[in-house]
Amino acid sequence: MDAISTSAGRDAGGRSRSLWASLVEAVRGSHQDYTAGSLNRAILLLAVPMVLEMVLESLFAVVDVFWVGRLGANAVATVGLTESMLSLVFAVGMGLSLSTTAMVARRIGEKDPEGAADAAVQAIALGLIVSVAVGLPCLLFAPRLLQWMGASPEIVSVGSGYARICLGGSCVVLLLFLNNAIFRGAGDAAIAMRLLWVSNIINLILDPCLIFGWGPFPKLGVTGAALATFTGRSIGVIYQFYRLLKGTERIRILRRQIHVHLEVLLRLVRVSLTGILQFAIAHTSWIGLVRIVSVFGAAALAGYTIAIRIVIFVILPSWGLSNAAATLVGQNLGAGKPERAETAVWRTGFYNVIFLGAVGVFFILFSTPVVRLFTHDPAVVPMAAACLRIVSYGNLGYAYFMVMMQAFNGAGDTVTPTIVNFFGFWLFEIPLAYGLAMPLHMRSNGVFFSIAIAESSMAVASAILFKQGRWKKRKI
C-alpha cells in the first residue's frame, strides 16, 4: 500500500513538474514541431502565450474605460461610438491577419520557411496600402463620422480629437494585427505575446498621465486616451519590424525578399477579401446594435459600452485559444494531417467552453458589483449590469463559435464563416434586436438578448458545417 502511495505521489509530482516546465517553455518560446507529438502539449504551448497576449489586450480595454469613465457619460459614449466605427478597421485588420496566419502556417507545415517569409512580406505591403486608404479619410472627416453615428453636439465637441487620433491612426492597428499574425502562423506565439505586452504596458502607463495631466504631461481628457493608445501601438509596430528582420528560429525576412511578388500577393488578396467581408459583417452588426441602443439615451449607450468592454476583457483570452486552433489547423493541413487538425479544434473548443462557462456564471451572479468597479453613475449602472448579465447567457455558444470560425480561417476557408456571419448577424441578430427593443418594448434589454441568442445559434450552425469537413480540402 505504501509503495502504491509513493508511486502515485511520484507520478503526480512528475506531472506537476512536466506541466510547469511546459508553461515556462510556452512563455519563453517553444521549438516543438506542432505537426507531431502530443496534441495536448501542442495546444498548451501555443495557447498559453496567445491567451496571455490577449489577457493584456483585454486588460487595456477595461483600464481604458476605467479612466475614461471618470470623465462622464459623454466621454464614455465617445469611446463607444468611435470604437463601433473603428471596428470596421479591425475588420480589415483581422481579415488580412487571418489570411496571413493561414498562408504562413501552411508554408511552415510544408517545411518551406522562405515561402512563409515571402507571404509575410506581401501581407505587410498589402497592409501599408490599406492603411493609407483607410486612415487618411478618417483623419479628415472624424467629427462628421461621429455626427453620422447620432452623436449629440456635446459628444462631438468632447470626442472629435479622440475620434481623429483613433480613426486616423488606424494604420498602427492594421500593422500590429498583421505582424503578430505572421508570428502566430509561424508558431512564434511567445514573440507575438511579448510584442503586444510591450505595446499595451506603455499604453497603460500613459493613459492616466495624458487623460488627467499627471506629472509633466498635458491634461488632454478623452483625447489623451487615444494618444496613449497610438503611442503604445506605434512602438510595438517598430519592435515587430525589428524582430522580423532579425529573424527567429521559424521565420526571418531577408532583404532580398523585400519586393512585391504579384502571384503571392494576389492569392493573399483573394483569401483576404472574404476574410475582411467576414469581419466587416460582424463588426457592422455592432454598429447597428449601437445605433439601436443610442435611441434610448446616453446612459443606455454608456452602459452598453462599459458592459461590452468587460465582455471583451473575458472574450479576448478565448480568442487566444481560438488563434491556437487556427495555427494548428494551418500547420497540420500543410503537413498532410487533416485528422490531427480536426481533433485539435474539438479539444480547443472544449477547453474554451470550460473557461467561458465559468466566467458566464460569475457575471450572471455578480454583474452589478463588477460594473460598479467602473462607474457609480446611478443611471448607467443598471443598464451596464443588465447588459453584462444578459450577454453572459450566451457564453457557451461564444466559446465554440470563436474556435470554429478560426479553424475555418486557419484552413484558408474564409467563405464559410462569411456566410455564417451574414445570415447570423445581418439577417437574424439586427432584425431580432430591433424587434425585441421596439415593437416588443424591451428597450435596450432587447438588444442585449439578441446578442446571446444570435451568437449561440451561429455556434450550432458553424459546428455542423465544420463536421462536414470541406475545409480539409482548401488550397492556399
Side-chain angles (χ1 to χ4, degrees), residues 68-88:
V68 172
R70 269 60 185 163
L71 302 176
N74 283 337
V76 177
T78 294
V79 174
L81 290 172
T82 302
E83 292 208 342
S84 66
M85 292 184 287
L86 194 60
S87 65
L88 293 175

Side-chain angles (χ1 to χ4, degrees), residues 131-440:
S131 295
V132 175
V134 172
L136 189 58
C138 289
L139 182 67
L140 296 174
F141 302 110
R144 189 168 296 178
L145 290 172
L146 281 176
Q147 291 175 342
W148 289 344
M149 284 298 296
S152 66
E154 293 79 11
I155 292 176
V156 173
S157 176
V158 167
S160 289
Y162 179 93
R164 204 180 289 277
I165 293 173
C166 280
L167 297 171
S170 56
C171 58
V172 297
V173 176
L174 287 170
L175 292 174
L176 197 69
F177 279 16
L178 269 179
N179 292 337
N180 264 4
I182 293 168
F183 288 119
R184 290 193 201 100
D188 285 323
I191 293 177
M193 173 195 70
R194 288 194 289 270
L195 287 166
L196 206 58
W197 274 57
V198 168
S199 173
N200 281 338
I201 286 173
I202 292 170
N203 177 53
L204 291 173
I205 293 171
L206 288 179
D207 225 6
C209 295
L210 290 171
I211 291 172
F212 303 110
W214 291 359
F217 295 94
K219 184 178 180 181
L220 300 176
V222 69
T223 303
L227 186 58
T229 301
F230 179 79
T231 303
R233 285 177 170 162
S234 296
I235 293 171
V237 168
I238 292 170
Y239 185 45
Q240 285 176 326
F241 282 128
Y242 165 75
R243 288 310 305 260
L244 284 170
L245 292 171
K246 181 183 178 183
T248 71
E249 182 180 315
R250 299 174 189 274
I251 189 167
R252 182 186 180 189
I253 295 176
L254 303 174
R255 292 186 185 277
R256 61 180 171 80
Q257 293 174 309
I258 303 177
H259 65 274
V260 173
H261 187 166
L262 196 58
E263 181 186 349
V264 177
L265 183 65
L266 291 177
R267 209 182 322 149
L268 194 65
V269 169
R270 190 186 71 247
V271 179
S272 295
L273 285 176
T274 47
I276 291 169
L277 181 59
Q278 173 191 150
F279 285 101
I281 289 169
H283 287 298
T284 49
S285 76
W286 286 97
I287 294 178
L289 296 180
V290 167
R291 194 68 184 87
I292 296 171
V293 172
S294 68
V295 171
F296 303 107
L301 185 56
Y304 173 81
T305 301
I306 290 171
I308 292 303
R309 279 298 186 96
I310 296 170
V311 169
I312 289 171
F313 178 78
V314 175
I315 284 184
L316 278 178
S318 291
W319 269 110
L321 272 169
S322 304
N323 287 335
T327 298
L328 285 168
V329 167
Q331 291 198 8
N332 281 286
L333 286 180
K337 299 180 178 180
E339 301 310 316
R340 179 181 171 88
E342 182 175 1
T343 302
V345 173
W346 288 114
R347 286 192 195 177
T348 306
F350 176 70
Y351 299 147
N352 212 15
V353 162
I354 293 173
F355 170 67
L356 274 188
V359 171
V361 171
F362 178 81
F363 281 163
I364 289 168
L365 295 175
F366 303 106
S367 57
T368 299
V370 170
V371 166
R372 288 191 183 278
L373 295 173
F374 302 93
T375 181
H376 294 282
D377 189 320
V380 175
V381 169
M383 297 286 189
C387 181
L388 184 59
R389 182 174 59 255
I390 293 168
V391 169
S392 295
Y393 294 147
N395 271 21
L396 297 184
Y398 308 152
Y400 265 117
F401 179 59
M402 284 186 284
V403 172
M404 293 298 163
M405 291 297 98
Q406 287 301 84
F408 284 121
N409 292 327
D413 178 10
T414 53
V415 175
T416 298
T418 302
I419 294 171
V420 172
N421 282 359
F422 176 72
F423 281 96
F425 287 121
W426 281 6
L427 300 186
F428 183 48
E429 184 182 62
I430 292 179
L432 179 63
Y434 181 83
L436 293 176
M438 304 296 191
L440 294 181

